[in-house]
Amino acid sequence: MAQALDLIWVVISFLLLINLSSQQETGFIFNGFRQGDLHLDGVAQILPGGLLQLTNTSGQKMGHAFFRQPFEFNSSESLSFSTHFVCAMVRQPGVTGGNGIAFFLSPSMDLSNADATQYLGLFNTTTNRSPSSNIFAVELDTVESAEFDDIDNNHVGINVNSLTSVDSAPASYFSEKEGLNKSISFLSGDSIQVWVDYDGTVLNVRLAPLGIQKPSRNLLSRSINLSQVLQDRMFVGLSAATGQLANNHYILGWSFNRSKASLQSLDISKLPRVPRPKPSYKPPLMLILLLTVLGIILLVILGGAYLYKRNKYAEVREEWEKEYGPHRYSYKSIYKATNGFHRDGFLGKGGFGEVYKGTLPRDQDIAVKRFSHDGERGMKQFVAEIASMGRLDHRNLVPLLGYCRRKGEFLLVSKYMPNGSLDQFLFHNREPSLPWLKRLAILKGIASALHYLHTGATQVVLHRDIKASNVMLDTEFHGKLGDFGMARFHDHGASPTTTGAVGTVGYMAPELTSMGASTKTDVYSFGAFMLEVACGRRPVEPNMRAEKQFLVKWVCDCWRKKATLDARDPKLRGESSSSRSVELVMKLGLLCTNLVPESRPDMEQVVQYLDGLIPLPDFSPDSPGIGILSPVMVVASSSVISNTSAPATESMFMTHSIQYGVGR
Ligand SMILES: *[C@@H]1O[C@H](CO)[C@@H](O)[C@H](O)[C@H]1NC(C)=O
Ligand SMILES: *[C@@H]1O[C@H](CO)[C@@H](O)[C@H](O)[C@H]1NC(C)=O
Ligand SMILES: *[C@@H]1O[C@H](CO)[C@@H](O)[C@H](O)[C@H]1NC(C)=O
Ligand SMILES: *[C@@H]1O[C@H](CO)[C@@H](O)[C@H](O)[C@H]1NC(C)=O
Ligand SMILES: *[C@@H]1O[C@H](CO)[C@@H](O)[C@H](O)[C@H]1NC(C)=O
Ligand SMILES: *[C@@H]1O[C@H](CO)[C@@H](O)[C@H](O)[C@H]1NC(C)=O
């Protein structure tokens, strides 16, 4: 019983075994590949899209892909097999490719000792031509190797244990449509279909581009007995190799079956895409030329526009100016503010340049003085002074906002004063005529501003050009001293020993040419200014009668005749109540214009005299230095004098000059 059971068991096992062994592989099909489908070695890999890459463009490399299970080739049965695969050989642009792809049958999956290059990853020097290799292959060869009797560098060959093909033909296919052979270029990068069919006696190979039916005619057809080559178990594989020349070797899909009739056809729509290197597009020469010329023209136009704009707004900027940053205006902003220095904004022409009204973006009205300068000498010091003046803060100073520098041009930006300058009201009968109390208030304001400049700031600031036309009036007719430092500016070019010998005739202290500017020369100018405010005329009037021409002398003469008030502004005659203070201002004017600098009061004292805090010192028209005109050469009153005038100015200076000596 037990024996019977044992027998049954053995029979069942035997049947199972037979059944199992008969479950051998008959074929496979891959429409694109997944990791794990195949056994890969060398540089072969499956790319993300399902593309099998046997090699890339690295040289001297090989790659194999095997179906994992071997196939039984039993001599007693049929040795037939059929395969269909799609491959592509993609070069880098401008580079020749190599070496090729082979479909093969091998008794082993270990081809690691095979060589790359012309050995196609199938043989080495030892195994090539060796009957014991047992390798059958169909090669798609892209390099012509003389040692293997290759026919060309684009052929298909049948190889048995050797790289010297049993049969080979240049790659081509029979086009059914056109009824003729059409050549195929392996290295075109196009996908190519390959069919290999063996029925046990004849081996057929056909090619066709992707998308074309299997041709009815063979490219190669060869009677061949593979019984000695094919072992009992054979592995099916694809191989590719690169050498000096290299390209990407891709497999898109692969189908295999022992029986030609049962071979499943590949589904072309499921095959992965082959990456194609971007073709380097070479535009026609004419197009390149045309584009180049157009580009150059465009560049010239743009460059011209840029240069024009840059020149229009060009400025001179130097490293040292960085520290004055906030006071530095861009020329562009000033140009825009003054509407391109339009005549509508023209305020007047002063001794140093033209003045324009402007409006900055935030409705801030500005006055821009624009004047030329030559040379850079002293510029740094001047700008430093301007910047330090920007920090000066006194209600009787015109607020200086900043500056801008261009080549040969300098621009000073200050707050716009709506009522213009005092001289308009004093000498040009501009309405309203200013009553004495207003004039006195202006004098007091300017005196206090000058006192501030001399003592209140961190360093002594000299104004150098005090006169009615430099006193600006705001909406309430408060006087504000403007244009400070201007005389200094015009001084550039003068030799260092004669600095400051600049100013306006009639306001210039006699020692100016010899000793230079000081607070005392400012006091002298302020004295002359007080006299012109009280008398309503300029210090020097060449067109008047001789005894009246020089204000200082004339006021002194009137005082000596005990008729000081005769010299006062005729427009003030109606204001008899103010006589005393007019007289005080006139005498203070004489005191300040004393020939001897040391005899002049300082600005602090002047302020106190004007405020009536201290009485005037005891002096008379005959006191030393009072009412005396010094030997200064004078130009017509409106001009500015400088001892470094250009020759042209000098000739004018000679004809108009009046020389007068010490005397009463
Ligand atoms: C291979 O052919 C056999 C018949 O010989 C068939 O049964 C089988 O499905 C085929 N396999 C593939 C993967 O084509
Ligand atoms: C080719 O593949 C190998 C290994 O995958 C890699 O090291 C090499 O850089 C690749 N060469 C190119 C040109 O991509
Ligand atoms: C292969 O052939 C041998 C004899 O040559 C035989 O013993 C064996 O059973 C065969 N195998 C198959 C699977 O047919
Ligand atoms: C060639 O390959 C065989 C087996 O793969 C190996 O034994 C032999 O050493 C190789 N010859 C050379 C020259 O690499
Ligand atoms: C086409 O190619 C085949 C195989 O190489 C050849 O036998 C045949 O003569 C060729 N036909 C023509 C028309 O060239
Ligand atoms: C192939 O060759 C073997 C011996 O080498 C022989 O037995 C067999 O009959 C041959 N097959 C054909 C189809 O000629």
Side-chain angles (χ1 to χ4, degrees), residues 21 24 72 74-77 232:
S21 68
Q24 56 170 295
E72 305 273 347
N74 214 323
S75 322
S76 65
E77 297 181 7
D232 283 358

Side-chain angles (χ1 to χ4, degrees), residues 26-29 255-259 262-264:
T26 54
F28 56 81
I29 179 162
S255 173
F256 180 90
N257 206 303
R258 292 299 301 276
S259 145
S262 307
L263 184 73
Q264 294 189 39

Side-chain angles (χ1 to χ4, degrees), residues 207-330:
L207 301 184
L210 192 61
I212 287 185
Q213 292 286 317
K214 187 177 181 182
S216 61
R217 299 191 192 175
N218 295 312
L219 173 63
L220 287 172
S221 185
R222 177 90 183 180
S223 286
I224 193 166
N225 189 343
L226 291 178
S227 64
Q228 298 303 306
V229 181
L230 301 179
Q231 302 294 290
D232 283 358
R233 304 170 84 229
M234 292 292 275
F235 291 91
V236 180
L238 291 164
S239 175
T242 61
Q244 295 280 81
L245 304 169
N247 58 263
N248 292 294
H249 292 101
Y250 297 118
I251 307 295
L252 290 72
W254 187 15
S255 173
F256 180 90
N257 206 303
R258 292 299 301 276
S259 145
K260 184 181 167 189
S262 307
L263 184 73
Q264 294 189 39
S265 40
L266 293 170
D267 183 347
I268 286 169
S269 66
K270 285 185 185 161
L271 300 183
R273 293 189 159 276
V274 176
R276 297 293 286 269
K278 290 203 175 70
S280 55
Y281 170 69
K282 283 193 185 137
L285 191 66
M286 271 311 291
L287 192 67
I288 295 176
L289 274 177
L290 195 75
L291 284 178
T292 310
V293 168
L294 278 180
I296 289 172
I297 290 173
L298 196 71
L299 268 181
V300 166
I301 291 172
L302 285 179
Y306 170 76
L307 282 181
Y308 169 76
K309 211 165 164 113
R310 203 181 69 157
N311 200 38
K312 187 173 170 186
Y313 298 128
E315 298 170 30
V316 179
R317 240 176 235 270
E318 284 171 37
E319 191 60 24
W320 52 262
E321 284 183 69
K322 273 187 183 153
E323 54 185 293
Y324 311 120
H327 295 292
R328 170 101 205 201
Y329 281 83
S330 76

Side-chain angles (χ1 to χ4, degrees), residues 62-73:
M62 60 181 181
H64 303 109
F66 294 92
F67 183 67
R68 288 179 177 281
Q69 260 72 53
F71 289 84
E72 305 273 347
F73 286 92

Side-chain angles (χ1 to χ4, degrees), residues 334 338 341 354-357 366-370 411-413:
I334 294 177
T338 57
F341 298 99
E354 296 179 335
V355 186
Y356 292 85
K357 187 192 170 195
I366 53 168
V368 179
K369 184 165 252 186
R370 181 193 202 192
L411 299 113
L412 265 188
V413 181

